[in-house]
Amino acid sequence: MAKLHPELENKEFWYKDITLIPNRLPDFERDRVDLTTYFTKRLKLKTPFVSSPMDTVTEGEMAILMALLGGIGVIHYNFLTIDEQIEEAEKVKRFEAGFVFNPVVLSPQNTVKDVYDINDKYGFFSVPITEDGTLNSKLSGIVTHRDIRYRKDMETELKEVMTPREKLIVAKKLETVDKNDLQAANEILRKNNLDTLMIVDKDDKVVALVADSDIRKNEQFPLATKDENKQLRTFIAAESRFKIAKERIGKGYDAGLDGVIIDASVAFKEQLEIAKYCKENFPNLEIVLGNVDSAEMVEKILKEGSQHCDALKVGIGPGAACMTQQELGTGRAQASAVWECGEVVKKLEPKYGFIPIIADGGIKIPDIIGQDVAKPGDITKALALGAQTAMMGSLLAGLDESPGEKEFDYEENRMVKKYRGMGSTEAIEKRGALRYGIEKMKIRIPEGKVIKVPYRGSGYDFIPQLIAGVKQSLQKQGFKNIKELQEEADIRPI
Ligand code: XMP
């Protein structure tokens, strides 16, 4: 266990109140540091970063970024319908895959415009064409970007532009999918210089496809968080109300989801019931409960439902857009909460097994635009205090991959993006009311606010910097991995 300075014991402290003292003599470079960690009991990540389920932070695009770079994104549920949320999760599951099952298909009577619409929605152009536009009919051809890029008439039917079935090289299900042999499919793809390879069954119906761009992406992102089928992993958030969460989780499961965060600003008893239902009906889904911030709360949850809980999320009101502490006098300093919850989880490990902690919020507090810099050291502190991963909202909301447009802020003379608490009046007005358990109440007390965060450009540049920053801070202290950091960090007051 890390060493906590006696002056910090039984005190409230934030990340800014502590520092980590290097007392080893490092003899290795930053690149030797391995940040592999557990997000949940069974799910490993190579990067200990999680994006918050907030409607100005995580939809499909952010979840793809996070998963490609070794972390994971949790898709928010502040949509008008459950299906809209699930569509975002599907974007992630379809994005980079080995075998893409259930590919989107069209019929020969669909038009060039329909292909552009698919690209807008899912980000790809290659579409198998089947006789009736469903997977239940025979393959008729394929349309790729090459076939439509110079077409001006959007109403041209695809039968005019597609490469017809007789000219296609396809792979057999029996020889690829049935043997789970992705390599065999990749070889056919490469040997024939194809962009997309379709896999058909004995009736010539499409069962899956493999894309060349996916193979190249696999090579470009060695840290990527993927499932057994080489599809990116993603979680969704669901409300702590049984009836609606049940429908959401069922649909998410059908879409191939990896897990669910049962969300509430303060953990709610009904979560245990939902978690139990999930484990009984969808044993493959990983379930995260929260938020908690004290040893007592952790103990209560583990006592009643440790077998249904795969990770605990810690943090009540420390986030940049939070007002739970100011408005309701509820919550505490985040670093001490992570320490206390981490300690109790360790103490109870012999009884309940290993339960990872997610340090949620407060990684940095952007009060004055311009002075708001990324602080990888806060992430290292969260890990040293006992968290396995850090969940971030405001730090990621300024990236290109978060929902919403960047705009110029004349007061601050710089580009910004909007970031809003899910308990803000603005977010509650959409659907967020459920998260705060106040959907039936007429009087609403906002628990969050709307702020601006600096525009940070592409996450594909920003996240690698953050990873390097965390690695560098471990290296300075002489730790090669998170386990060593957690066992030996020397945590002192500033
Ligand atoms: P950061 O500091 O990374 O925090 O921006 C993100 C976390 O803040 C939580 N969150 C809220 N907490 N009122 C709150 O008290 C809110 O309106 C609110 N919205 C989000 C959430 O846990 C998120 O991951």
Side-chain angles (χ1 to χ4, degrees):
M1 193 92 188
K3 260 198 305 190
L4 190 74
H5 193 274
E7 267 182 38
L8 290 167
E9 267 164 33
N10 305 317
K11 291 254 165 60
E12 289 299 300
F13 51 94
W14 297 88
Y15 297 127
K16 68 176 171 42
D17 301 323
I18 57 171
T19 188
L20 303 172
I21 307 289
N23 44 27
R24 294 180 158 200
L25 260 187
D27 60 354
F28 56 91
E29 298 300 325
R30 180 178 83 191
D31 292 346
R32 287 279 309 282
V33 176
D34 178 0
L35 296 179
T36 303
T37 188
Y38 280 92
F39 176 49
T40 58
K41 277 182 195 165
R42 287 176 294 181
L43 206 158
K44 260 190 185 174
L45 300 180
K46 296 205 173 92
T47 304
F49 303 168
V50 186
S51 65
S52 294
M54 299 174 72
D55 62 6
T56 49
V57 181
T58 312
E59 292 181 356
E61 228 184 307
M62 176 64 74
I64 289 168
L65 164 75
M66 295 304 290
L68 282 176
L69 293 171
I72 198 153
V74 185
I75 294 168
H76 73 88
Y77 58 92
N78 209 25
F79 292 93
L80 294 175
T81 64
I82 291 177
D83 290 343
E84 281 178 57
Q85 182 195 30
I86 302 305
E87 262 178 35
E88 294 299 311
E90 280 174 343
K91 278 186 198 166
V92 187
K93 297 307 289 185
R94 278 181 209 273
F95 177 75
E96 182 187 10
F99 296 114
V100 181
F101 295 105
N102 292 323
V104 179
V105 295
L106 290 172
S107 78
Q109 286 73 43
N110 280 100
T111 62
V112 170
K113 179 169 183 309
D114 296 325
V115 180
Y116 276 97
D117 287 347
I118 284 178
N119 182 53
D120 284 345
K121 200 164 166 194
Y122 298 114
F124 55 78
F125 279 105
S126 297
V127 185
I129 308 300
T130 64
E131 284 172 357
D132 70 358
T134 75
L135 290 166
N136 283 325
S137 63
K138 286 187 177 185
L139 179 64
S140 304
I142 188 169
V143 172
T144 67
H145 191 221
R146 256 184 257 180
D147 303 319
I148 58 166
R149 64 189 155 174
Y150 300 124
R151 291 275 162 179
K152 296 236 156 40
D153 181 6
M154 289 288 132
E155 295 312 315
T156 306
E157 290 192 356
L158 298 177
K159 62 173 182 276
E160 312 283 333
V161 299
M162 70 185 188
T163 308
R165 172 67 183 98
E166 57 276 16
K167 291 198 179 152
L168 289 179
I169 294 167
V170 298
K172 294 201 176 92
K173 176 172 176 272
L174 212 65
E175 288 160 15
T176 52
V177 168
D178 287 352
K179 295 183 185 159
N180 202 15
D181 191 349
L182 188 60
Q183 205 55 36
N186 286 348
E187 267 161 36
I188 304 175
L189 195 102
R190 285 208 160 132
K191 203 168 101 206
N192 296 287
N193 196 21
L194 304 174
D195 289 330
T196 306
L197 173 71
M198 278 165 297
I199 296 168
V200 294
D201 64 12
K202 57 180 180 4
D203 301 323
D204 215 30
K205 289 179 187 165
V206 181
V207 292
L209 54 82
V210 178
D212 179 53
S213 53
D214 288 348
I215 297 174
R216 278 184 278 117
K217 269 178 233 144
N218 279 334
E219 288 160 2
Q220 207 186 335
F221 295 102
L223 301 177
T225 309
K226 292 182 194 156
D227 60 23
E228 307 70 38
N229 186 45
K230 302 238 180 313
Q231 288 173 310
L232 294 181
R233 289 195 190 271
T234 191
F235 274 48
I236 59 165
E239 48 282 269
S240 302
R241 301 294 182 277
F242 192 84
K243 210 167 139 223
I244 181 160
K246 191 171 152 189
E247 188 185 346
R248 198 181 286 288
I249 295 166
K251 286 188 167 173
Y253 181 79
D254 292 341
L257 207 68
D258 297 284
V260 179
I261 287 191
I262 305 176
D263 183 53
S265 52
V266 177
F268 194 69
K269 194 136 195 211
E270 217 165 312
Q271 289 190 351
L272 292 166
E273 206 184 317
I274 302 171
K276 183 163 181 270
Y277 164 83
C278 284
K279 286 289 168 192
E280 282 167 5
N281 291 279
F282 316 112
N284 293 338
L285 283 186
E286 293 288 273
I287 304 298
V288 180
L289 303 183
N291 282 15
V292 297
D293 71 354
S294 67
E296 289 82 354
M297 241 179 156
V298 171
E299 252 188 291
K300 281 200 176 84
I301 291 188
L302 294 186
K303 196 168 160 210
E304 289 194 35
S306 66
Q307 69 278 36
H308 314 308
C309 169
D310 300 309
L312 277 171
K313 199 147 73 75
V314 173
I316 297 179
C322 294
M323 280 171 35
T324 310
Q325 296 191 4
Q326 295 94 315
E327 287 295 318
L328 306 178
T330 303
R332 64 187 292 198
Q334 178 67 350
S336 44
V338 173
W339 172 259
E340 190 177 309
C341 296
E343 246 194 332
V344 72
V345 155
K346 261 237 119 25
K347 192 183 91 189
L348 297 176
E349 197 172 322
K351 198 163 172 192
Y352 300 120
F354 167 66
I355 312 264
I357 293 274
I358 303 161
D360 176 17
I363 285 303
K364 56 153 206 54
I365 300 175
D367 25 32
I368 307 167
I369 286 182
Q371 294 191 5
D372 165 27
V373 284
K375 285 190 189 156
D378 280 2
I379 299 175
T380 317
K381 288 176 187 177
L383 300 172
L385 289 161
Q388 255 64 44
T389 54
M391 176 176 270
M392 296 167 280
S394 55
L395 201 66
L396 307 175
L399 297 175
D400 283 332
E401 292 74 15
S402 68
E405 294 305 314
K406 59 179 186 281
E407 56 186 69
F408 192 76
D409 186 288
Y410 286 94
E411 272 169 36
E412 302 293 341
N413 205 25
R414 63 184 292 176
M415 299 301 288
V416 294
K417 283 190 88 167
K418 185 160 98 172
Y419 175 58
R420 69 179 183 203
M422 296 310 293
S424 63
T425 311
E426 212 183 275
I428 292 177
E429 268 165 16
K430 215 171 158 205
R431 276 201 83 263
L434 280 175
R435 178 175 195 264
Y436 289 83
I438 51 179
E439 68 276 23
K440 293 191 197 91
M441 298 176 199
K442 282 212 180 84
I443 302 171
R444 289 178 172 171
I445 314 285
E447 282 185 45
K449 56 190 172 194
V450 184
I451 62 172
K452 290 177 256 178
V453 293
Y455 169 60
R456 296 182 196 281
S458 165
Y460 291 90
D461 297 326
F462 179 78
I463 300 287
Q465 280 181 34
L466 208 57
I467 295 174
V470 176
K471 284 189 170 184
Q472 193 157 327
S473 92
L474 261 78
Q475 187 270 342
K476 294 285 168 213
Q477 296 166 56
F479 299 123
K480 286 205 185 91
N481 53 53
I482 295 174
K483 189 166 176 279
E484 285 182 15
L485 170 77
Q486 292 185 337
E487 278 169 4
E488 288 187 44
D490 186 352
I491 307 165
R492 304 214 194 156
I494 282 184

